[in-house]
Amino acid sequence: MVRASDVVLLPIDDLPTRWYNVRADLPEPLPPPKDPEEGPSRVKALPDMLLGECLRQEASTERWVPIPEEILDLYAHALRPRPLVRARRLEAALKTPAKLYYKTEFLSPTGSHKVNTALAQAWYAKAAGFERLATETGAGQWGTALAYAASLVGLRTTIYWVRAVHDWKVERRAFMRLYGAEVHASPSPATKVGRELLAEDAHHPGSLGIAVSEGLEDALADDKAVYCLGSVLNHVLLHQTIVGLETKRQFESIGVTPDVLVSSLGGGSNFGGFVLPFLPDTFRGRPLRCVAAQSEAAPNLRGEYRYDFADHAGLTPLLKMYTLGHTARMHPIKGDGLRYHAAAPVLSLLRHLGYIDAVAYPADEKHVFARAREFVRTEGFLPAPESAYSVACAIDEALACRESGEAKTIAFNVSGHGFMDMAGYAEVLGL
Ligand SMILES: Cc1ncc(COP(=O)(O)O)c(C=O)c1O
């Protein structure tokens, strides 16, 4: 018999109508963006780089930011709220006393959580009179989400896609073009930054930091275009809190409080969106273990906590973050959405203050894909490679509970589906 509390649905009337801004509750103020000692002021150039409304949200310390009606309609259209599911078959297979719940962000039109900020940014851009959006993408999930959102509100999109991924994700590339997007492998000959890097290495695999530089350079050169970023910045994490807010309400509706929250972290919007709405209780003393799942190819939360650029070329202001260095070369992985040199400033501060734990899995990805296979065989859904890190970490936490005999409640976000990533699964698992 299906237990009513195993699939926790929220009625559409309970879709949260405000995003949560953790800056109102941070135990310490967030260090502000700043300029490097040399060169033009990047801080003063921010209004040219970001949408006005996003910039306002970037600096906001208001606890609740109302979601405009039109964006709520777009969220409903993208089938929000999304279910929270008890993974009973996985629990049984693991023989763990832990209770496992997963949030189904993979039920998104383009396949990931990225749609939550894409819809907001595209709608704000349209309202501000722009005609085109320029952006970077790593896994391809953000690029697809923005192309989708732009197509819904009637804008064009140009996407700079990390070459190492662009070259193998042939179907996702076609998917972006189906939405009308112009797609470049990054580094590309379309920008100065790209041309310089290609001159050094014609087969440069690219990185998210490089693709950010290209998207910015493109948008800055065209009055009708605006740059949109898919992670790292405060306003992106803010939009993603819709995921954690729904999850919190879903747990409240069944009278359960999670002990452990797990999600994968590249730049941090996925992890932040899931975890941040739970933190006010933790700031007031309620214990909560928050674990970020990363790759050893880019373990940015193990880097240095210092000011660094968000992009390769140093076009952005300096942000205080855990970073591996903005020009670090990181080995390509199948979960390439996690291959970014730094973690969001908000999450970096929380890590610095001891609220966030992190694990980094081996770059050959055998462990994470094998764990994802256990999830596929018991729960039936196929996680994106990046989400496989979240699944692996949740399973490892559940196995630790088996050792200790603790019946903890572990919640994890399956941030995307892997229907367009089968070549990655096949290669790593030898299918
Ligand atoms: C499916 C999926 N999950 C998680 C992430 C990581 O998101 P973030 O960079 O915001 O941490 C990505 C990034 O591309 C992704 O595509």
Coordinates of all heavy atoms in Angstrom, one line a residue, residues 111-114 137-142 208 230-232 236-237 264-271 336-338 340 384-387 415-417, ligand 1:
G111 N 15.1 19.9 -17.5 CA 15.9 18.8 -16.8 C 16.6 19.2 -15.6 O 17.4 18.4 -15.1
S112 N 16.5 20.5 -15.1 CA 17.2 20.8 -13.9 C 16.6 22.0 -13.1 O 15.7 22.7 -13.7 CB 18.6 21.1 -14.1 OG 18.8 22.4 -14.5
H113 N 17.1 22.2 -11.9 CA 16.7 23.4 -11.1 C 17.0 24.7 -11.7 O 16.5 25.8 -11.3 CB 17.5 23.3 -9.8 CG 18.9 23.6 -9.9 ND1 19.8 22.7 -10.5 CD2 19.7 24.6 -9.5 CE1 21.0 23.2 -10.5 NE2 21.0 24.4 -9.9
K114 N 17.9 24.8 -12.7 CA 18.3 26.0 -13.3 C 17.1 26.9 -13.8 O 17.2 28.1 -13.9 CB 19.3 25.8 -14.4 CG 20.6 25.1 -13.9 CD 21.6 26.1 -13.3 CE 22.9 25.4 -12.8 NZ 23.8 26.2 -12.1
T137 N 27.6 28.3 -20.0 CA 27.1 27.1 -19.4 C 28.1 26.0 -19.3 O 29.1 26.0 -20.1 CB 25.8 26.6 -20.2 OG1 25.1 25.6 -19.4 CG2 26.2 26.0 -21.5
G138 N 28.0 25.2 -18.2 CA 29.0 24.1 -18.0 C 28.4 22.8 -18.4 O 28.7 22.3 -19.5
A139 N 27.5 22.3 -17.6 CA 26.9 21.0 -17.9 C 26.0 21.2 -19.1 O 25.6 20.2 -19.7 CB 26.0 20.6 -16.7
G140 N 25.5 22.4 -19.4 CA 24.6 22.6 -20.5 C 23.2 22.8 -19.9 O 22.3 23.3 -20.6
Q141 N 23.0 22.5 -18.6 CA 21.7 22.6 -18.0 C 21.3 24.1 -17.9 O 20.1 24.4 -18.2 CB 21.7 22.0 -16.6 CG 21.8 20.5 -16.6 CD 20.5 19.8 -16.8 OE1 19.5 20.3 -17.1 NE2 20.5 18.5 -16.5
W142 N 22.2 24.9 -17.5 CA 21.9 26.3 -17.4 C 21.6 27.0 -18.7 O 20.6 27.7 -18.9 CB 23.0 27.1 -16.6 CG 22.9 28.6 -16.8 CD1 23.8 29.4 -17.3 CD2 21.8 29.5 -16.4 NE1 23.4 30.7 -17.3 CE2 22.2 30.8 -16.7 CE3 20.6 29.3 -15.7 CZ2 21.4 31.9 -16.5 CZ3 19.8 30.4 -15.5 CH2 20.2 31.7 -15.9
L208 N 34.2 27.0 -16.8 CA 33.1 27.9 -16.6 C 33.6 29.4 -16.5 O 32.9 30.3 -17.0 CB 32.4 27.4 -15.3 CG 30.9 27.5 -15.3 CD1 30.2 27.1 -16.6 CD2 30.4 26.7 -14.1
G230 N 24.2 31.9 -14.1 CA 23.4 30.8 -13.7 C 23.7 30.3 -12.3 O 23.1 29.3 -11.8
S231 N 24.7 30.9 -11.6 CA 25.0 30.4 -10.3 C 25.8 31.5 -9.5 O 25.8 32.6 -9.9 CB 25.9 29.1 -10.4 OG 26.0 28.5 -9.1
V232 N 26.3 31.2 -8.4 CA 27.3 32.0 -7.6 C 26.7 33.2 -6.9 O 27.0 33.4 -5.7 CB 28.6 32.4 -8.4 CG1 29.6 33.1 -7.6 CG2 29.2 31.1 -9.1
V236 N 21.0 34.8 -7.7 CA 20.7 33.5 -8.3 C 20.3 32.5 -7.1 O 19.4 31.7 -7.2 CB 21.9 33.0 -9.1 CG1 21.6 31.6 -9.7 CG2 22.3 34.0 -10.1
L237 N 21.1 32.6 -6.0 CA 20.8 31.7 -4.9 C 19.4 32.1 -4.3 O 18.6 31.2 -3.9 CB 21.8 31.8 -3.8 CG 23.0 30.9 -3.9 CD1 23.9 31.2 -5.1 CD2 23.9 30.9 -2.7
S264 N 24.5 18.7 -4.4 CA 25.8 18.9 -5.0 C 26.1 20.4 -5.2 O 25.2 21.2 -5.2 CB 25.8 18.2 -6.4 OG 24.8 18.7 -7.2
L265 N 27.4 20.7 -5.2 CA 27.7 22.1 -5.3 C 28.8 22.4 -6.3 O 29.9 21.8 -6.2 CB 28.2 22.6 -3.9 CG 28.4 24.1 -3.7 CD1 28.1 24.5 -2.3 CD2 29.8 24.6 -4.1
G266 N 28.5 23.2 -7.3 CA 29.5 23.7 -8.3 C 29.8 25.2 -7.9 O 30.7 25.5 -7.1
G267 N 29.0 26.1 -8.4 CA 29.0 27.5 -8.0 C 28.2 27.7 -6.7 O 28.4 28.7 -6.0
G268 N 27.2 26.9 -6.5 CA 26.5 26.9 -5.2 C 25.0 27.2 -5.3 O 24.3 27.2 -4.3
S269 N 24.4 27.5 -6.5 CA 23.0 27.8 -6.5 C 22.1 26.7 -6.2 O 21.0 26.8 -5.5 CB 22.6 28.4 -7.8 OG 22.4 27.5 -8.8
N270 N 22.5 25.5 -6.5 CA 21.7 24.3 -6.2 C 21.7 24.0 -4.7 O 20.7 23.9 -4.1 CB 22.3 23.1 -7.0 CG 21.7 21.8 -6.6 OD1 20.5 21.6 -6.4 ND2 22.6 20.8 -6.3
F271 N 22.9 23.9 -4.2 CA 23.0 23.7 -2.8 C 22.4 24.8 -1.9 O 21.6 24.5 -1.0 CB 24.5 23.6 -2.4 CG 24.8 23.2 -1.0 CD1 24.8 21.9 -0.5 CD2 25.1 24.2 -0.1 CE1 25.0 21.6 0.8 CE2 25.4 23.9 1.2 CZ 25.3 22.6 1.7
D336 N 30.2 18.0 -15.2 CA 31.0 19.2 -15.4 C 30.3 20.5 -14.8 O 31.0 21.5 -14.7 CB 31.2 19.4 -16.9 CG 32.6 19.9 -17.2 OD1 33.6 19.1 -16.9 OD2 32.8 21.1 -17.6
G337 N 29.1 20.4 -14.5 CA 28.4 21.6 -13.8 C 29.0 21.8 -12.5 O 28.8 22.9 -11.8
L338 N 29.8 20.9 -12.0 CA 30.5 21.1 -10.6 C 31.9 21.6 -10.8 O 32.6 21.8 -9.8 CB 30.5 19.8 -9.9 CG 29.1 19.1 -9.7 CD1 29.3 17.8 -8.8 CD2 28.1 20.0 -9.1
Y340 N 33.8 24.4 -11.2 CA 33.9 25.8 -11.1 C 34.9 26.1 -10.0 O 35.0 25.4 -9.0 CB 32.6 26.5 -10.9 CG 32.6 28.0 -10.8 CD1 32.9 28.7 -11.9 CD2 32.3 28.6 -9.6 CE1 32.9 30.1 -11.9 CE2 32.3 30.0 -9.6 CZ 32.6 30.7 -10.7 OH 32.7 32.1 -10.7
A384 N 20.9 13.5 -13.2 CA 22.0 14.1 -14.0 C 23.3 13.7 -13.3 O 23.4 13.5 -12.1 CB 21.8 15.6 -14.0
P385 N 24.4 13.8 -14.1 CA 25.7 13.5 -13.5 C 26.0 14.3 -12.2 O 26.5 13.8 -11.2 CB 26.7 13.8 -14.6 CG 25.9 13.6 -15.9 CD 24.5 14.0 -15.6
E386 N 25.7 15.6 -12.3 CA 25.9 16.5 -11.1 C 25.0 16.0 -9.9 O 25.5 16.0 -8.8 CB 25.5 17.9 -11.4 CG 26.4 18.6 -12.4 CD 26.1 18.2 -13.9 OE1 25.1 17.6 -14.1 OE2 27.0 18.4 -14.7
S387 N 23.8 15.6 -10.2 CA 22.9 15.1 -9.2 C 23.4 13.8 -8.6 O 23.0 13.4 -7.5 CB 21.5 15.0 -9.7 OG 21.1 16.2 -10.5
S415 N 18.9 17.4 -8.4 CA 18.7 18.7 -9.1 C 18.4 18.6 -10.6 O 18.0 19.5 -11.2 CB 20.0 19.4 -8.9 OG 21.1 18.6 -9.3
G416 N 18.7 17.4 -11.2 CA 18.4 17.3 -12.6 C 18.3 15.9 -13.1 O 18.7 14.9 -12.4
H417 N 17.8 15.7 -14.3 CA 17.8 14.3 -14.9 C 18.9 14.1 -15.9 O 19.5 15.1 -16.4 CB 16.4 14.0 -15.5 CG 16.1 14.7 -16.8 ND1 16.9 14.6 -17.9 CD2 15.1 15.5 -17.2 CE1 16.4 15.3 -18.9 NE2 15.3 15.9 -18.5
Ligands
LIG1 C1 21.9 19.2 -12.7 C2 22.8 20.1 -12.0 N1 22.9 20.0 -10.7 C3 23.7 20.8 -9.9 C4 24.5 21.7 -10.6 C5 25.4 22.6 -9.7 O1 24.8 23.8 -9.6 P1 25.6 25.1 -9.0 O2 26.7 25.4 -9.9 O3 24.6 26.1 -9.0 O4 26.1 24.7 -7.7 C6 24.5 21.9 -11.9 C7 25.3 22.9 -12.6 O5 25.4 23.0 -13.8 C8 23.6 21.0 -12.7 O6 23.5 21.1 -14.0

